[in-house]
Every structure is written in structure tokens, then in C-alpha cells.
Amino acid sequence: MFAIVDIETTGGYASANGITEIAIAIYDGEKVVDYFDTLVNPLVAIPPYIQALTGITNAMVSQAPLFEEVAGKIYELLSDKVFVAHNVNFDYSFVKYHLSRCGFDLDCKKLCTVRLGRKIFPGQHSYSLGNLCRSLSIEIEQRHRAGGDARATVKLFQQLLCNDQAGEINLMLKGRAKDQHLPPNLQVEKVTALPCCPGVYYFHNQKGKVIYVGKAKDLRKRVASHFSNNKTGKQKQEFLRNIYDVTYHECGSELMAFILESIEIKRLWPLYNRSLKGFEQAYGLYAFEDNKGYQRLVIEKKKKHLEPIYTFSQITEGQTLIKKLIADFGLCPRLCFIDVSPGPSLAEEQQLSAEEYNERISSAVKFLGDALPTFALCEEPSFITKETRKGVILMEKGRFYGMGYLPPEVTVRCVDDLKPHLTQYPENGYIRGLLYQYSSKYPERKVQFSA
């Protein structure tokens, strides 16, 4: 037995919106044997645009029953049936959530007429209920009302049953349909075509814009995991509705996927990414010459068009480093902005010329440059493809340079031998920290280069 359901709501996600109308047609595979249809008082105002779309006004639902008053009847109709709807995850998430608030635990098998339509009637311009019914000559009375849409979905489901030559409905009922839990607008072929290797994946909206970037050790498994639950929150429901396509970029290792994900999130700034987008409070150590010819060191927030001598995640780290340089190289605290009290500089007290003092600055800067490590991390090939090259990631003087793949016949004696095989990328503090941590954990994969 099938329960063909349609609902109207006050918004797009269950946890903060109510049901304003519900229609349930009980269908035995040949005819409708029971039918239930009612307006519901959601106890919140219906937004004007939804009133305009559905024709359901606040006045119409003011005297309608609360959901809790009809929850028992709804559960009785649905509990032992197959739940059928057009974009079933939307309707099911609302009904299940509101039933759970009334003490009923709905757990039904589901069928989605959007997904079945794509399988059984391929090549349609659109699989919205209105367009699909129009192409199949199904008339919809009272469009965007639960009763009208439910009755149209019954007729659509009848045609799906009659034309299901490949047994798609049975596959979905037995849980063997690969697209059963996918968003309604994402084709299953896009997911099954993903390789089982490390990489970065991109979810696109209807216009092709990237709305989410993720990393994976196994691309196919990770992408499928996004759809293994049907949370009722706004973010998850909007996210699923907006996914129309998935593309990917293979990586030589999980580490390389981590790095590329960080780079791509900062490049594309996708709507649904939260982590790795935050502003980095990064500081740099800079040198400049004052009007007397003395080189001065200063810590500032990183400048977009100036290359820092050294970088820090916090300003206190920079102050600690400058104090060490002052002690080790005889620098002037006033000329390094550590001592801001009035008085002569150390250079003036010691009668040092600008040339003499600047030599101390040069020695300190050279020390910092020599202290920054240059090394490569070599990753063994892990593609489940024909890839045989090693993945290589280069840190040059403490900064992430780039990554790429090294053919087995290439011998690397120095950094310059490596660079032609690498793609240079922008770096950030997250990547630097990741590579330092990884090199400490796997020292056998680290190739150190001399300064």
C-alpha cells in the first residue's frame, strides 16, 4: 500500500516552520482506497509570498485544527505504508518532524516521484510536478494546494507504475537504488562516476556556481555520505535543494586534498562552507628605512602587496621574536618599536652610523631567512587509476610554495630540480601549520634541502 502525500508549509525547513495543509491518498496500486485532506493551523503567520503562491491565508487556517489534533490520524494512515511524494525528502522531513513532536515515531519506506520520473521518463526538460504532469498530459486542479498536487501525484505514480519496465520502483523499495537518498536535482550518474581516490569535490547550483567544496580520502564514498541523513534544519534542507551537479579534482594523497580544499575555499568562497573561511589574524615582520637612513623593524598586519620577512599568527609571537633579535644582534628597542618612550636611540648613544647599524639589521634578517626550513614532503601514489607519479609538496623558507607530481625517472638534487614539476599556489597559515604537523608525524616522508 502506498501513501501519496503532499503538504503546504510556512517555509522551507521543518525545524522552524509549520504545515498549513496536508493531503494523503492511500493507493493500492490500482485505485485510491482512502483519502485525507485538511488545512492545519501552524500557529505562526504565513509569509505573504507563500499566501500568494498557495492561496492559503492566515484567515483560512485560523479555525483549522492544530497538527497535534490530527497527528494520530496522520500516523495511522502512514505508519504501515510506503511514503510517496514529489521530492519525498522534503515532505517526509516535515511530517516526520511534526509527528515526533506529538510522540509518534514515523519510519516508512519512501519513493520519490522526481527520481522515478528521471529513471522511467528520461530526457524531460524539467521534473518539477507541474512540468512533468504537463508533458504526460496530467491535469492539475488547484496547483500548489495539497489536495490538488496529491491527486496529480497519484496520476503520475500510476503512469510510473505502468511504464516501469526496468523495475526501478522495486529497486528503490528494496533499498538497492543508488539514488534513493540523493537530492532531487542531482543525477545518480554524477555520483557513481566519482573515483574512489583522494581528491576535492565541488557541489554546483542550478547556474553552475560552486556552493560547497570538500575534501575526501575516497571521493565517491564521501560525496554519498552527505546524503545519508535527512536533517530538518534550514542549512541542510536548503543545501540539498540547491545541489544540481558535482565535479571533482583528483589528488595524489589525502594531504594534498586537504591543501587544495583550503586553497579552493579561499578562492571560490562557497556559500555553504563554514570552516577555513575565517579571516586569519596574520602578522608580518617588515623592514623600512627612516628619514635618517636607519633600517627599522616593525610588526604589522600582513600587507597585501608587501612581502614580510617573517610571519606570525599572533602579534605576541612577533614581539617575542623581535626581543630575541634585539638581544642577539644588538638592535635598538626604539628603532624596533619595542620601546616607545622618549629618548635617544641605541645607535645615537653608541654613535653608530646608519651603515654600521644597518649591518646588524642585515645580519638579523639573514639569520631569520636561514632559520626558515626548506623541505619537500613526498607522498607515494595512491590513485586507483594509472597514476604512478609521486605527489610532492614543497615548503621553501618556511612558506608553502606549491605541489605537483614527480615522474619516477626524475632525480631531485635541489629545489630547482623540483619546481618545474610543481604548481605554485597561494599559501596561508592553515596550510603551513598542516605541513609542519605532518612533517613531524611522518619524518620519513620529509626531504630536507640546504638553505
Side-chain angles (χ1 to χ4, degrees), residues 12 25 141 213 222 254 293 336 381 417-418:
E141 297 178 5
V213 174
R222 178 67 185 101
E254 189 177 11
C336 296
D417 292 336
L418 192 57

Side-chain angles (χ1 to χ4, degrees), residues 15-259:
S15 61
N17 289 283
I19 295 173
T20 59
E21 189 175 36
I22 183 169
I24 303 171
I26 304 303
Y27 182 71
D28 66 0
E30 295 182 357
K31 61 184 181 299
V32 174
V33 297
D34 198 357
Y35 183 80
F36 176 77
D37 185 351
T38 183
L39 289 167
V40 179
N41 186 344
L43 294 177
V44 295
I46 303 172
Y49 72 92
I50 292 181
Q51 293 187 51
L53 176 69
T54 65
I56 301 173
T57 65
N58 291 315
M60 290 170 62
V61 300
S62 62
Q63 301 302 314
L66 304 179
F67 187 87
E68 62 190 49
E69 296 177 60
V70 294
K73 174 66 173 177
I74 292 170
Y75 181 76
E76 179 186 345
L77 287 168
L78 298 179
S79 61
D80 56 350
K81 312 296 191 307
V82 177
F83 192 109
V84 182
H86 206 71
N87 187 8
V88 70
N89 286 330
F90 175 82
D91 297 75
Y92 188 81
S93 69
F94 263 88
V95 176
K96 181 178 176 66
Y97 175 79
H98 287 282
L99 282 175
S100 70
R101 296 187 67 186
C102 299
F104 298 98
D105 182 19
L106 184 66
D107 186 15
C108 297
K109 289 186 176 181
K110 298 178 290 182
L111 287 175
C112 180
T113 52
V114 176
R115 292 227 153 264
L116 288 172
R118 291 184 187 278
K119 291 287 188 180
I120 297 170
F121 300 119
Q124 300 293 322
H125 174 69
S126 168
Y127 288 88
S128 69
L129 183 61
N131 287 327
L132 189 54
C133 285
R134 191 176 300 112
S135 69
L136 297 173
S137 300
I138 297 171
E139 185 179 352
I140 305 179
E141 297 178 5
Q142 289 190 301
R143 180 75 174 105
H144 297 303
R145 290 294 300 272
D149 286 352
R151 285 188 286 270
T153 306
V154 170
K155 295 175 184 178
L156 171 60
F157 189 58
Q158 288 173 328
Q159 293 208 26
L160 291 169
L161 283 169
C162 292
N163 291 276
D164 184 17
Q165 304 299 321
E168 298 292 346
I169 293 174
N170 279 332
L171 282 175
M172 195 169 285
L173 287 174
K174 291 176 181 178
R176 300 202 325 249
K178 295 177 180 179
D179 57 348
Q180 189 172 11
H181 302 292
L182 296 184
N185 301 308
L186 180 62
Q187 296 179 24
V188 64
E189 292 78 12
K190 294 286 187 176
V191 178
T192 55
L194 295 169
C196 300
C197 69
V200 169
Y201 57 93
Y202 308 80
F203 287 136
H204 303 256
N205 65 11
Q206 190 172 15
K207 295 181 179 179
K209 184 177 180 180
V210 174
I211 58 173
Y212 184 84
V213 174
K215 64 185 177 301
K217 186 176 183 179
D218 181 323
L219 281 165
R220 189 186 304 167
K221 185 176 180 180
R222 178 67 185 101
V223 167
S225 73
H226 278 280
F227 318 121
S228 60
N229 62 65
N230 192 34
K231 291 182 180 178
T232 56
K234 178 181 180 180
Q235 181 181 343
K236 183 62 180 282
Q237 291 299 315
E238 286 186 353
F239 178 56
L240 295 178
R241 281 198 298 274
N242 284 328
I243 296 174
Y244 281 74
D245 195 7
V246 58
T247 57
Y248 65 92
H249 183 102
E250 294 181 358
C251 292
S253 69
E254 189 177 11
L255 174 63
M256 297 176 82
F258 268 95
I259 294 170

